[in-house]
């Protein structure tokens, strides 16, 4: 696979940048990596064979007089907004930024407004939309005549998060920064919410706003849905989609199981998932869509992300209920 493009600017040299680099190398796409520290640059080179530029994005842009036509931004969550804005202001018009595109609603709004002003395409990298399990499920759903109902759970491992080295700001915005992986995928499969009632309760030391979330509604595809998460106890991510002919289960999300009517045993559905096994799941197909099919409906624009954050994620997080 080859793409006749100028080198892509890969912003960041950490763990995710390494995953992107492996995919770009397989797809024979030239890239320049820009990181900050010598230590992350060394680790990046050891894994990929490519030596990154160090000193950070601002220094790199100041030393160049050409705007990169494409860039992938995979820095820390706190730096997603500033890095993307810097690229937009420098003239880059096609950007893939790691989820969620900003630390909170206000940052995502800034990027969305700047992208619109510059007439640029900025996409948020929700790689789970590109899993082989997702592709297979969408095919089965269409074959069955659509979604009747769906349910999803986004319980997080609170003990791990509380002791992680992540900044308090990221932890306070954890639903947007991490749980939206599941929420976005569920609504991608079952349809965006047309009506939704939400309740949240409790809180943790690292996420004081709430720690228990539940709600239900009707999607634009006229499918009933419900959701639940309790960050105070055990649990895992999962999505269940019901058609008239089968009950599809994503748990874990990379796998797909089905329950047929009049049966009680889950059957694993075989997948053509070699790319998901060889690379970070979903990333190969996500990058391929970003490079080859910018109008791919599975890509999430920053404008869509802002709308969803404003209308879905904030409601799920902040709507208080009495238990």
């Amino acid at each position: 696979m080859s793409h006749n493009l100028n080198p892509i600017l890969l912003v960041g040299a950490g763990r995710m940048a390494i995953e992107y680099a492996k995919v770009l190398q397989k797809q024979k796409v030239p890239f320049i990596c820009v990181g900050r520290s010598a230590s992350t640059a060394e680790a990046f080179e050891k894994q990929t064979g490519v030596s990154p530029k160090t000193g950070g994005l601002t220094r790199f842009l100041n030393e160049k007089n050409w705007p990169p036509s494409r860039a992938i931004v995979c820095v820390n969550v706190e730096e997603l907004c500033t890095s993307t804005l810097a690229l937009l202001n420098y003239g880059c018009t096609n950007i893939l930024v790691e989820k969620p595109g900003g630390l909170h609603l206000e940052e995502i709004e800034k990027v969305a407004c700047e992208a619109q002003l510059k007439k640029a395409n900025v996409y948020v990298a929700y790689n789970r939309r590109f899993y082989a399990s997702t592709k297979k499920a969408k095919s089965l759903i269409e074959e069955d005549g659509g979604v009747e109902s769906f349910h999803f759970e986004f319980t997080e491992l609170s003990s791990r998060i509380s002791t992680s080295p992540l900044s308090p700001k990221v932890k306070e915005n954890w639903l947007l920064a991490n749980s939206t992986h599941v929420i976005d995928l569920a609504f991608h499969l079952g349809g965006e919410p047309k009506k939704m009632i939400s309740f949240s309760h409790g809180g943790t030391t690292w996420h004081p706003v709430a720690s228990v979330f539940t709600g239900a509604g009707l999607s634009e595809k006229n499918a009933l849905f419900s959701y639940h998460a309790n960050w105070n106890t055990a649990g895992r991510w999962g999505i269940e989609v019901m058609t008239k002919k089968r009950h599809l289960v994503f748990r874990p999300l990379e796998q797909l199981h089905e329950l047929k009517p009049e049966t009680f045993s889950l059957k694993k559905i075989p997948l053509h998932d070699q790319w998901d096994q060889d690379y970070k799941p979903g990333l190969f197909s996500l990058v391929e869509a970003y490079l080859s099919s910018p109008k791919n409906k599975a890509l999430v624009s920053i404008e869509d992300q802002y709308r969803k954050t404003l209308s879905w994620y904030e409601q799920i997080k902040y709507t208080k209920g009495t238990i």
Side-chain angles (χ1 to χ4, degrees):
M1 186 179 304
S2 177
H3 298 272
N4 185 21
L5 299 168
N6 292 326
I8 287 178
L9 189 61
L10 184 59
V11 183
R15 178 183 56 82
M16 273 306 301
I18 292 171
E19 298 296 337
Y20 275 108
K22 291 176 181 177
V23 168
L24 291 171
Q25 287 173 327
K26 180 63 177 179
Q27 296 184 4
K28 294 181 170 55
V29 178
F31 65 90
I32 297 170
C33 179
V34 179
R36 285 191 305 179
S37 69
S39 59
T40 54
E42 183 180 348
F44 184 94
E45 184 173 7
K46 186 176 180 181
Q47 289 284 323
T48 66
V50 175
S51 178
K53 310 290 184 182
T54 57
L57 178 62
T58 301
R59 177 179 173 181
F60 176 82
L61 293 177
N62 287 339
E63 291 175 351
K64 298 287 181 181
N65 55 17
W66 56 274
S69 59
R70 295 176 184 252
I72 297 175
V73 179
C74 47
V75 294
N76 295 334
V77 175
E78 305 97 308
E79 299 165 4
L80 292 173
C81 173
T82 54
S83 297
T84 307
L85 289 176
L87 288 165
L88 287 169
N89 289 326
Y90 198 74
C92 186
T93 57
N94 204 310
I95 301 169
L96 180 66
V97 58
E98 264 300 297
K99 53 272 175 198
L103 182 61
H104 44 63
L105 173 65
E106 290 76 15
E107 288 194 350
I108 293 171
E109 181 182 20
K110 282 182 184 178
V111 177
C113 289
E114 194 65 26
Q116 188 175 38
L117 185 67
K118 296 288 197 296
K119 294 182 172 55
N121 296 315
V122 178
Y123 303 104
V124 184
Y126 279 103
N127 57 300
R128 284 161 179 80
R129 287 187 172 212
F130 294 86
Y131 280 180
S133 57
T134 304
K135 182 178 180 180
K136 181 64 176 179
K138 287 177 73 68
S139 173
L140 293 172
I141 290 167
E142 184 177 355
E143 180 183 308
D144 291 354
V147 177
E148 288 273 297
S149 61
F150 60 101
H151 172 79
F152 59 94
E153 180 181 344
F154 55 94
T155 292
E156 302 280 357
L157 301 176
S158 183
S159 59
R160 289 189 189 179
I161 301 164
S162 64
T163 57
S164 76
L166 292 166
S167 76
K169 287 184 179 180
V170 173
K171 294 178 183 181
E172 287 171 8
N173 290 282
W174 196 249
L175 188 144
L176 177 62
N178 205 58
S179 302
T180 55
H181 282 301
V182 189
I183 304 169
D184 172 80
L185 180 57
F187 290 137
H188 176 61
L189 291 165
E192 296 187 359
K194 186 159 59 175
K195 297 178 182 178
M196 182 167 68
I197 299 173
S198 302
F199 300 95
S200 65
H201 179 74
T204 68
T205 55
W206 55 273
H207 193 269
V209 171
S211 56
V212 182
F213 311 86
T214 188
L218 176 70
S219 83
E220 63 179 6
K221 295 181 180 179
N222 290 321
L224 294 174
F225 69 85
S226 63
Y227 68 84
H228 174 260
N230 187 335
W231 296 359
N232 301 320
T233 187
R236 69 182 304 181
W237 287 356
I239 298 173
E240 300 184 28
V241 178
M242 281 63 79
T243 71
K244 289 181 178 179
K245 296 182 180 179
R246 72 190 91 218
H247 181 150
L248 296 169
V249 179
F250 295 78
R251 193 175 285 110
L253 301 184
E254 296 90 343
Q255 297 178 13
L256 187 62
H257 294 78
E258 70 173 337
L259 189 66
K260 290 287 187 68
E262 310 300 326
T263 64
F264 297 102
S265 59
L266 280 176
K267 178 184 176 184
K268 190 174 183 179
I269 298 176
L271 302 172
H272 298 291
D273 60 352
Q274 194 61 50
W275 295 134
D276 288 354
Q277 292 184 39
D278 292 346
Y279 302 94
K280 183 177 177 64
L283 205 62
F284 191 96
S285 296
L286 167 64
V287 171
E288 188 176 41
Y290 163 65
L291 294 176
S292 305
S293 309
K295 300 302 180 183
N296 189 311
K297 291 182 180 180
L299 290 169
V300 181
S301 71
I302 192 67
E303 291 83 6
D304 277 346
Q305 179 73 338
Y306 170 60
R307 176 179 55 80
K308 293 173 186 178
T309 303
L310 185 64
S311 59
W312 308 352
Y313 306 144
E314 296 282 289
Q315 177 180 334
I316 291 172
K317 179 178 178 179
Y318 288 111
T319 307
K320 287 294 181 181
T322 302
I323 296 179

